[in-house]
Every structure is written in C-alpha cells, then in structure tokens.
Amino acid sequence: SLCRSLGTANTTYNLSMNINDNTITNDCMIVSAQNITFNCNGYSISSTQNYTGVYSNQRNTTVKNCNISMGTGNNTNSMGIEMTDAADYSTILNNTIVGSGMYYGLWTGAEYQNISNNNVNVTCLACSGFYLTNSNNNTLTSNTVTSISNIGIYILSSNNNTLTGNKG
C-alpha cells in the first residue's frame, strides 16, 4: 500500500492494493536488486507528484499488470516506468500507463528487453508514449501507444530493435 524499494534479489513482489500517494518525494516503486518481478495484479500506482511510478536500474526486472498514472504539468521527471541503461534483459508486460502530466509513459536506455501488450496514453503537449534512447536489441510487440503530441514511440540512437504489431 506504500511506495518502497524492492531490494531482495530473485523475488516476486505482488501488489495487493492500490497506491495513491500525493505526498511522495521520490520515485514510487524502486527496483534495487537483480531478478525481481513486480506484479501489480491489476492494481494502480498513482500520484500527482512528478516522479516515476516504477523505476529500475537492475538487470532482469519484470514489471507487469500495473495501472500507472503519475505527475502533473509536463514535468520531465514524471514517468510511468523508467528502466535505466543497467536494466538490461528486462520485461515490461501488460501494463496500462495513462496520464496528463507524465512526460514519458515508458523511458528506457536498457537493452535486450521484451516490451509487450502495454497500453500507454500520455496527453501532455511534448510527451512520448515510449522513449528509447541508446536502447538496442529490444522487442516491442502488440503495444498500443498514443500521445497528444503524436509521438507514440520515439527511438533515438538505438539499433536492432524489433517492432511488431504495435498501434499508435
């Protein structure tokens, strides 16, 4: 029910209720060890604060079945899911990310990720649904990604990514 660090390697964490915290002062769920699965089980993570809903800088992170809405006012710190360049070999699966304040639904600099069956809709004027930067060898399959700025999936300085059956 609270934002926290997920720090035990080789563990599955299951959300059992919605998190709605408008007082947070940092990213909400922070994956801080390798081989972690975070399963929201359809529950929500939301805040009006300009932080990230789920953040990982760890290899082999799985984020699935989350409903995420973060931030207000087009703040570049506000993201649904953020995977740094150290979060290689991760999976982002079956998430719904919707928000008027989020700058990026998904931001990633990681490689060898499986990003599948996500529904992302961000509505700020300069936003991107997915933003991949220096992010190579990823597979994006069957995602629906929309943005009022008409930038559904933005790929910068990235190579060998496979996009199949995505809609925007």
Side-chain angles (χ1 to χ4, degrees), residues 20-96:
N20 183 359
D21 189 344
N22 294 324
T23 64
I24 62 173
T25 58
N26 201 348
D27 299 332
C28 186
M29 303 306 287
I30 300 169
V31 176
S32 58
Q34 293 184 6
N35 304 313
I36 286 182
T37 296
F38 177 56
N39 185 353
C40 288
N41 292 306
Y43 290 104
S44 299
I45 298 170
S46 63
S47 179
T48 57
Q49 299 300 311
N50 292 313
Y51 295 102
T52 296
V54 180
Y55 170 90
S56 178
N57 63 357
Q58 299 294 317
R59 292 175 78 106
N60 199 31
T61 296
T62 297
V63 179
K64 63 182 184 176
N65 304 317
C66 296
N67 296 301
I68 302 173
S69 179
M70 301 296 290
T72 59
N74 301 346
N75 189 300
T76 58
N77 292 325
S78 182
M79 299 175 223
I81 298 172
E82 180 180 1
M83 307 294 272
T84 72
D85 59 353
D88 296 339
Y89 300 98
S90 293
T91 300
I92 302 162
L93 179 65
N94 296 329
N95 299 289
T96 298

